[in-house]
Amino acid sequence: MSVLFLLASLGAVNGLLLGLFFLVKGPSKIANVYFSGLLISLSIRIVKSIVFYFQRDVDYAILQVGLSACAFIGPFFFLYAKSVVKQSKRYHKSDLILLAVVFVLVVTVGTLYPYRNFPEVWNSYIIHGIYVLWSLFTLLGVYYTFVSVRDVFKRKQRFNKSQSYFVAIALTVLAINITYQMALYGSFTYLWGALIFTIVMYVLIGKSMMNRSLNMAGRDLSVSDQTDLMSKLNQCMLNEKPFVNSKLKLEDLASSVGMNRNTLSKLLNDEYGKGFSHYVNSYRIEEAKQLIASRPELSLEGIGYEAGFNSKSSFFASFRKITGKTPADFKK
C-alpha cells in the first residue's frame, strides 16, 4: 500500500513543481503558461484522488478543491494545444474570456453550493458537469494535436523530439480523462489516472535527460553524422517552417531536432559554413520569394513579416545580401 501511495504521489508532486517551473521560466511564452496551468490543475486533481483513495473520511473542502481544479484541466489543455499549433505570440481575448468564465463558474457554484453542505448536489449534478467540460475541451485539444502532426502521417515520417512530446502529452491527458470517466461511471479506480501521470512524466523526463546526454557526448561528430544531422535539420525547416517565427532562437531550433545549442552551432559552422542567422534567413528569403510569386495582394513589407522577419529593414538587407537584389527588383 505504501509503495502504491508513493508511486501515485510522485507524479502529482513533481507535476506541481514542474508547473511552477514552467510558469517562472517562460512566462513570455504563451504555451508555457497554459502548460503550467495544465500541470498544476491536473496535479491538484490527482492529489485529491490519492487522498480520497487512501482516506475515505477526508474533509469535503479538499474534495471541492480537487474537483474545482478538474474544471480547468480541459480548458488549459485546449489552450496549450492551440497555442502550440498556431505558435501564439500573444494572448487572445477569447482565450482569456474562456478561462475567466470557467473561474467565475467554479467560484460561484462553490460559494452557493459548498461541498460540505451540498454533497448530494455535487455528486448528482456538479461533478458530471465538470467531467463533461473536461472531456469536451480534451477532445478539442486532441484535435489540434492531430492537426499539427497529420502531415507527418501523410509523408510517413518520424516525429521529431518536440512533436513526440506534444503527442505524448495529448495522449496522457486523454488517457487520464478516460480513466476518470470510467471511474465515475464504471468500476475503475481514480488511482489509475495518478499512476499513468507518474509513469508518463518519468518516461518523458528520462528521455529528455538521455537525449541531452547523447547530445553532450556527440559534440565531436563524424562527417557522416554531420551530413545526417544537416539533412534532418533541412527537412525540419522545409516541413515545419520554424523560421516563420521571428523570435526563433538557436536553442529553439536545436530542441525541435533533438540537439543541444552547442551541437547545432557547431553543425552550422562546420557543415553549412555560416552561422545560425544566415541559415535561418536563407529559408526566410526562399519563403519570401514564393510569397512574392504567389501572393501578389501582399505588400513587400507584409511578405517580410510573413516570412519571419521582424522588421522591413532586416528583410530588405537580408534579401539583398543573399540574392544580390532588392525584393522590388526580384518582383519585377
Side-chain angles (χ1 to χ4, degrees):
M1 186 68 73
S2 59
V3 174
L4 191 61
F5 177 79
L6 178 63
L7 289 175
S9 302
L10 279 174
V13 172
N14 286 307
L16 284 170
L17 294 176
L18 277 176
L20 294 173
F21 171 76
F22 277 107
L23 190 61
V24 172
K25 179 186 178 183
S28 60
K29 293 185 178 180
I30 310 302
N32 276 0
V33 175
Y34 291 142
F35 185 59
S36 66
L38 169 63
L39 284 176
I40 292 171
S41 56
L42 191 55
S43 298
I44 292 174
R45 178 62 181 91
I46 289 175
V47 167
K48 176 263 178 189
S49 300
I50 296 170
V51 172
F52 184 69
Y53 181 85
F54 288 99
Q55 187 174 349
R56 290 288 176 174
D57 58 343
V58 65
D59 191 320
Y60 280 175
I62 296 177
L63 300 182
Q64 180 173 333
V65 170
L67 290 169
S68 298
C70 187
F72 289 93
I73 297 173
F76 270 125
F77 171 58
F78 162 67
L79 294 177
Y80 163 69
K82 188 171 75 166
S83 65
V84 170
V85 173
K86 295 189 175 183
Q87 298 183 343
S88 301
K89 300 176 184 178
R90 61 182 181 85
Y91 293 100
H92 294 283
K93 186 177 179 180
S94 59
D95 297 340
L96 298 178
I97 290 175
L98 169 62
L99 291 176
V101 168
V102 175
F103 177 79
V104 170
L105 284 174
V106 167
V107 172
T108 302
V109 172
T111 302
L112 295 177
Y113 300 96
Y115 204 129
R116 285 175 175 173
N117 302 329
F118 300 92
E120 69 284 352
V121 175
W122 278 79
N123 294 330
S124 299
Y125 302 104
I126 298 176
I127 291 177
H128 297 279
I130 290 174
Y131 275 49
V132 169
L133 180 72
W134 181 7
S135 300
L136 174 63
F137 282 102
T138 296
L139 292 176
L140 288 173
V142 170
Y143 166 75
Y144 271 103
T145 306
F146 171 75
V147 168
S148 71
V149 298
R150 61 185 174 187
D151 287 340
V152 178
F153 287 111
K154 290 180 180 178
R155 296 188 177 99
K156 297 181 179 180
Q157 297 173 336
R158 297 181 63 183
F159 292 142
N160 62 35
K161 181 181 175 183
S162 59
Q163 289 172 330
S164 298
Y165 287 153
F166 188 31
V167 171
I169 290 168
L171 292 178
T172 301
V173 174
L174 180 62
I176 292 174
N177 178 267
I178 291 173
T179 57
Y180 272 73
Q181 296 286 346
M182 294 178 70
L184 180 64
Y185 296 104
S187 58
F188 254 52
T189 172
Y190 288 118
L191 206 61
W192 278 111
L195 293 174
I196 291 172
F197 188 51
T198 298
I199 292 169
V200 173
M201 176 171 291
Y202 279 96
V203 168
L204 292 181
I205 290 175
K207 286 183 64 177
S208 179
M209 293 178 65
M210 186 178 295
N211 286 336
R212 179 171 296 182
S213 299
L214 290 173
N215 287 333
M216 291 294 288
R219 286 181 179 176
D220 296 325
L221 300 171
S222 66
V223 174
S224 60
D225 288 337
Q226 286 186 335
T227 302
D228 291 342
L229 287 176
M230 199 67 207
S231 176
K232 181 180 179 181
L233 180 62
N234 291 335
Q235 285 298 315
C236 175
M237 296 293 278
L238 290 172
N239 296 334
E240 300 180 31
K241 297 186 177 183
F243 53 84
V244 298
N245 177 8
S246 61
K247 296 182 180 180
L248 182 67
K249 297 179 181 178
L250 179 64
E251 51 266 32
D252 298 330
L253 183 57
S255 177
S256 66
V257 290
M259 305 181 202
N260 64 23
R261 67 189 314 276
N262 293 329
T263 301
L264 178 57
S265 178
K266 187 176 187 302
L267 178 68
L268 290 175
N269 288 325
D270 293 347
E271 186 75 10
Y272 179 67
K274 297 176 183 177
F276 169 75
S277 295
H278 190 282
Y279 178 76
V280 173
N281 284 340
S282 68
Y283 276 92
R284 287 171 175 163
I285 295 303
E286 289 303 315
E287 180 73 5
K289 288 180 180 179
Q290 294 182 25
L291 290 172
I292 289 173
S294 62
R295 301 284 301 278
E297 75 278 6
L298 291 177
S299 65
L300 291 176
E301 183 177 359
I303 286 174
Y305 286 117
E306 287 285 331
F309 290 95
N310 57 13
S311 69
K312 178 180 177 180
S313 59
S314 62
F315 170 47
F316 278 52
S318 296
F319 198 102
R320 188 178 187 90
K321 179 179 180 181
I322 292 175
T323 67
K325 299 180 180 179
T326 66
D329 291 338
F330 179 84
K331 186 173 184 178
K332 290 178 182 178

